[in-house]
Amino acid sequence: EVIFLGDKRLLNQEFVDSGFRREGQGLLNQEAIKKMLFNGIGAFAFHACPLTVVKISISWAISERIERLLPECRVSVSNMILNLRHLDLKQDGNILACFPVIYTDPNDETEDETYEVLDTHLETARSLYQVLQLIAFHELKESSILVELALWKSIIE
């Protein structure tokens, strides 16, 4: 596996901002991935290695929001991340999105082998979306409790 920490450009921010609903796009910025993993002539940087997964830190998108949650809500979000196949929660709190590396063996000697980093069927995007939805639920729940308390306080006074 290869882990990229703190590199926002490897993810498609427009796709995230659109609520994961932009047709024909995915979570990965394929152009940036190709620049990182392939040299100028298209050779794969990890050609001789059995690379099966690329992990990209998404802590910049999630950690701040998780830190603002109540402790019991943080546990709920952490447990969800641990149970999702395409996300990885490290002991240091770093959250990684996992993308499989697809290797295509040539059929004959005229074709070259190919490597692709893919979000197969948008599974990693779906996992990230589920976590963001759970965080949003907890944020909304906490906000509604604060509004309800403020309303009760104004009635009492």
Side-chain angles (χ1 to χ4, degrees):
E1 66 186 42
V2 172
I3 298 175
F4 293 106
L5 299 174
D7 205 341
K8 293 181 186 180
R9 66 191 170 117
L10 295 176
L11 298 179
N12 184 350
Q13 190 61 44
E14 288 179 15
F15 183 71
V16 175
D17 293 343
S18 71
F20 299 83
R21 289 186 178 88
R22 189 155 284 204
E23 194 68 34
Q25 288 189 0
L27 185 57
L28 275 174
N29 179 343
Q30 287 294 340
E31 226 175 273
I33 287 285
K34 285 179 180 165
K35 284 181 185 175
M36 296 283 283
L37 297 178
F38 296 89
N39 68 15
I41 58 170
F44 188 59
F46 299 94
H47 175 70
C49 301
L51 181 65
T52 58
V53 68
V54 169
K55 296 182 178 186
I56 301 171
S57 175
I58 55 170
S59 294
W60 54 269
I62 297 179
S63 294
E64 217 174 89
R65 290 178 67 187
I66 291 174
E67 288 303 313
R68 290 192 299 251
L69 295 176
L70 295 172
E72 59 270 14
C73 298
R74 276 188 241 140
V75 170
S76 168
V77 171
S78 294
N79 286 339
M80 177 184 236
I81 293 169
L82 290 170
N83 290 319
L84 290 170
R85 248 183 63 205
H86 296 279
L87 296 181
D88 190 8
L89 178 62
K90 295 296 184 188
Q91 287 184 345
D92 64 359
N94 207 347
I95 302 164
L96 305 171
C98 306
F99 299 93
V101 176
I102 309 300
Y103 167 73
T104 307
D105 198 10
N107 294 336
D108 56 45
E109 293 177 16
T110 61
E111 290 183 37
D112 290 333
E113 58 192 14
T114 59
Y115 295 88
E116 287 184 279
V117 180
L118 298 174
D119 185 4
T120 314
H121 306 294
L122 299 176
E123 291 175 6
T124 305
R126 282 190 188 104
S127 295
L128 177 56
Y129 182 72
Q130 288 175 358
V131 170
L132 290 171
Q133 289 293 97
L134 182 61
I135 292 169
F137 167 77
H138 286 300
E139 290 171 337
L140 182 60
K141 186 172 80 173
E142 288 176 35
S143 297
S144 64
I145 290 170
L146 289 175
V147 169
E148 191 174 340
L149 288 172
L151 181 64
W152 278 101
K153 182 179 178 188
S154 68
I155 292 172
I156 292 173
E157 294 173 349

